[in-house]
Amino acid sequence: MGWLKLVYAKGNNKVLVLIGLLIGLIFSELDETVVSTAMPTIVRELHGLSLMGWVAGIYMLSLTMFMPILGKLADLFGRKKVYLTCVGLFIAGSIVCGLTPSMTVLLIGRGIQGIGAGGMMPLAMVIIGDTFPLEQRAKVQAMIGPVMFLPQLLGPTVGGYLVGHVNWHWVFLINIPVGLLAAAVLAIGMREARGEEKRSIDWAGAFTMMVALLSLLLAPVLVDNRGLSWSSPWVIGLFVLSALLFTVLVFIEKRAKEPILPLHLFKNRTVVVLSLFVCVLMLGLMGGIQMFPFFAQNVMGLTPTGSGYLNIAFMASAIPVSILIGFLITRVAYRTLFIVSFTLPIIGMYLLSQVGVDTSVLYIIVTFLIMGFGMGALFGGDNLIVQESVEKKHSGVALSFVQLFQTVGMTIGMSVFGSLLASQIKGGVMKLSDQLPEGSAETIATGGIPQGLDPSVTLKVQEAFSHAFQNIFTIGLGFAVAAFVIVWFLKHEVLKKKEENEDGEAEKIAAAPVEA
């Protein structure tokens, strides 16, 4: 009876809410790494090699397109209702993928999954913000970022087991019971009262934003999956169309009663600065880091599994720093914390720009530890800062807005850096074409260094790879410096608890300024 009384109390059950959110988040993130592991088997059985690249592309497109829209809908109609709807969409997409008879149907299912995932992450942060007071929320959110790295560790193992011992269909179908469990726990633990007044939806703004984002992100997807160049008329045309649609969106939002993207967010210094910061940071750092396994396998001679698990060093340092930031952010000005922290990615990117044929595993581990110490501040603080910088009724769309910039930066960065790296490697390898087996230069440039080459030739090819990566990481270093400069534009203040009136609405944002 005591347990029932606890669960069905009038207020939120914080423990159940947190457990429900973590289950949903971990398994939505785990799905990505598990699917990547199972992809070769899926493609082989469905005869879909030509569509393989679109499996990730469609997911990221739908996730990014719907993220700000779902954030706004949560502000209008309630976080709980929209979040549970997103879980339902993720489950529905998983069913479509798990029962798919073809690659075309698989892509449809991945698109549905992406829509659901586009709401789950930002809304989880918003729900935590509504459930926990500031001091507790700082500690909870500080630990969620590092927890999201668990899927990177578990994914290859889970995916390999399901494919090898069960069936690849269960890579998707396993999401059904897990998703239902996450939804049930949250539904029981969370209470949310919403007004009965009629709410209007900015359909014109929502549609225009979706098409604008689709045009923006479809360009790098086409570059990756259809081999188009960045100067292609199709790619340039998509970027121009996106710019025009975003211009139209501004005029629509000025006249909308409930704008899907409130323009006042662009007047909020903290939201704008953090959006630019995460976009630049992800564009430069993640664009380069995501390519590192290719270097580790071809130059350092590591196995695919070994190169993937180098990320453990990154996590090992990011986790404690993230937790520490959660304790400090209500005591120390967050600009100060970010300035100190984001000197470290600059050091890390400089070290990566010096990699070569003789680079050791220890060198990379130390470099990744340094990078993790810096990035831990982002996991521990950015979501919290955004939530405390806007009114509670706008926290959903504000958080989705910042995460949208983060996703756009990551998506474009991975594509641009991938194309640039391929071009650099190809240029270096083609200079050695007279020393390579006939017709192998092109294959090496795109697929890696084959076995059986003369050791002296292999060394020259590895040096060409190293030079290409040095250039890539040097560019990434420039983005790290740019992100560090942007941090200085944050307000110099300490987060403080918002004062609330009798109706529970925040009357002001009491972030205490600190004298510089």
Side-chain angles (χ1 to χ4, degrees):
M1 291 300 291
W3 181 83
L4 288 176
K5 184 177 181 180
L6 173 67
V7 171
Y8 291 102
K10 289 184 178 179
N12 287 336
N13 185 311
K14 296 179 181 180
V15 174
L16 290 182
V17 170
L18 186 58
I19 291 174
L21 293 174
L22 285 177
I23 293 174
L25 288 176
I26 289 174
F27 273 86
S28 66
E29 293 292 319
L30 182 64
D31 180 78
E32 275 299 280
T33 51
V34 171
V35 170
S36 297
T37 304
M39 210 60 236
T41 302
I42 296 173
V43 168
R44 184 173 63 251
E45 292 197 13
L46 296 181
H47 308 289
L49 182 61
S50 63
L51 296 175
M52 180 177 176
W54 286 97
V55 175
I58 290 293
Y59 182 88
M60 288 304 300
L61 281 172
S62 58
L63 182 151
T64 308
M65 287 165 52
F66 282 88
M67 186 180 290
I69 295 172
L70 291 168
K72 179 61 178 180
L73 291 178
D75 288 340
L76 290 175
F77 301 107
R79 289 61 152 118
K80 178 179 178 180
K81 183 184 300 184
V82 176
Y83 182 85
L84 292 177
T85 300
C86 291
V87 175
L89 285 169
F90 195 83
I91 293 173
S94 299
I95 293 173
V96 173
C97 291
L99 301 179
T100 181
S102 67
M103 282 294 288
T104 302
V105 178
L106 178 67
L107 294 180
I108 294 172
R110 290 296 283 168
I112 298 172
Q113 278 188 314
I115 297 173
M120 289 173 68
M121 174 58 85
L123 293 186
M125 298 299 103
V126 175
I127 291 172
I128 289 173
D130 292 344
T131 305
F132 294 87
L134 178 60
E135 291 78 10
Q136 292 181 2
R137 186 162 74 252
K139 298 174 178 63
V140 170
Q141 291 192 5
M143 290 184 283
I144 285 183
V147 166
M148 290 301 101
F149 278 115
L150 286 176
Q152 304 298 322
L153 284 175
L154 298 175
T157 302
V158 174
Y161 179 82
L162 290 175
V163 171
H165 297 84
V166 189
N167 188 290
W168 69 260
H169 295 276
W170 281 97
V171 166
F172 302 103
L173 296 179
I174 196 174
N175 292 328
I176 300 172
V178 176
L180 291 174
L181 175 62
V185 173
L186 182 70
I188 293 172
M190 185 176 177
R191 295 288 179 267
E192 184 177 47
R194 301 298 301 176
E196 298 298 325
E197 67 272 19
K198 188 177 180 180
R199 301 275 182 162
S200 63
I201 301 176
D202 177 21
W203 293 112
F207 178 77
T208 305
M209 178 184 288
M210 285 175 57
V211 180
L213 287 171
L214 177 63
S215 302
L216 175 64
L217 295 179
L218 189 58
V221 170
L222 288 175
V223 171
D224 282 343
N225 297 308
R226 285 294 175 263
L228 298 181
S229 68
W230 288 98
S231 59
S232 164
W234 280 102
V235 174
I236 294 175
L238 286 170
F239 281 134
V240 172
L241 176 60
S242 178
L244 290 174
L245 288 171
F246 277 121
T247 302
V248 172
L249 178 64
V250 172
F251 288 99
I252 293 175
E253 299 306 82
K254 283 182 178 180
R255 293 164 175 78
K257 182 180 178 181
E258 288 280 2
I260 203 75
L261 182 62
L263 297 181
H264 65 75
L265 289 179
F266 291 95
K267 298 179 182 179
N268 187 308
R269 174 176 161 184
T270 302
V271 172
V272 171
V273 171
L274 275 177
S275 297
L276 291 174
F277 170 68
V278 296
C279 183
V280 170
L281 190 70
M282 291 298 156
L283 199 158
L285 268 66
M286 299 310 294
I289 295 297
Q290 288 293 323
M291 307 300 159
F292 185 78
F294 196 63
F295 175 87
Q297 293 170 40
N298 286 283
V299 179
M300 299 175 67
L302 300 181
T303 64
T305 302
S307 63
Y309 279 115
L310 282 176
N311 286 332
I312 294 177
F314 185 93
M315 291 182 291
S317 54
I319 290 174
V321 171
S322 177
I323 295 172
L324 177 63
I325 293 295
F327 282 91
L328 294 178
I329 202 165
T330 55
R331 298 172 175 83
V332 180
Y334 52 80
R335 188 180 77 176
T336 301
L337 294 174
F338 273 44
I339 287 173
V340 172
S341 296
F342 287 99
T343 57
L344 297 176
I346 295 175
I347 297 172
M349 291 305 291
Y350 172 76
L351 293 175
L352 285 176
S353 71
Q354 306 302 307
V355 295
V357 176
D358 57 349
T359 297
S360 67
V361 172
L362 179 61
Y363 182 93
I364 299 301
I365 289 175
V366 171
T367 301
F368 279 12
L369 283 171
I370 293 172
M371 296 281 286
F373 281 130
M375 295 296 288
L378 187 64
F379 304 137
D382 65 331
N383 290 329
L384 191 67
I385 295 169
V386 173
Q387 287 176 279
E388 295 302 308
S389 300
V390 298
E391 295 179 65
K392 182 178 178 181
K393 63 182 179 181
H394 296 306
S395 59
V397 68
L399 200 53
S400 297
F401 181 77
V402 175
Q403 292 198 359
L404 169 67
F405 272 80
Q406 179 173 316
T407 305
V408 168
M410 186 180 299
T411 303
I412 294 179
M414 290 174 63
S415 179
V416 170
F417 274 72
S419 299
L420 187 59
L421 179 65
S423 175
Q424 294 261 328
I425 291 177
K426 183 177 180 180
V429 172
M430 292 304 290
K431 293 178 181 178
L432 304 171
S433 57
D434 59 332
Q435 304 177 47
L436 296 169
E438 185 176 353
S440 65
E442 186 77 26
T443 303
I444 292 173
T446 56
I449 304 174
Q451 299 291 327
L453 291 179
D454 182 89
S456 62
V457 176
T458 298
L459 179 61
K460 292 179 180 178
V461 174
Q462 288 177 329
E463 289 174 346
F465 272 58
S466 298
H467 183 69
F469 272 94
Q470 288 168 8
N471 291 337
I472 289 295
F473 289 129
T474 299
I475 296 172
L477 173 61
F479 279 98
V481 172
F484 178 73
V485 172
I486 293 172
V487 163
W488 285 83
F489 289 91
L490 286 171
K491 293 181 179 179
H492 195 58
E493 59 186 21
V494 179
L495 292 184
K496 296 296 181 183
K497 185 178 181 180
K498 296 177 182 178
E499 295 182 3
E500 295 184 347
N501 59 28
E502 293 179 356
D503 296 323
E505 292 294 328
E507 291 184 327
K508 67 177 181 178
I509 300 175
V514 178
E515 294 298 327

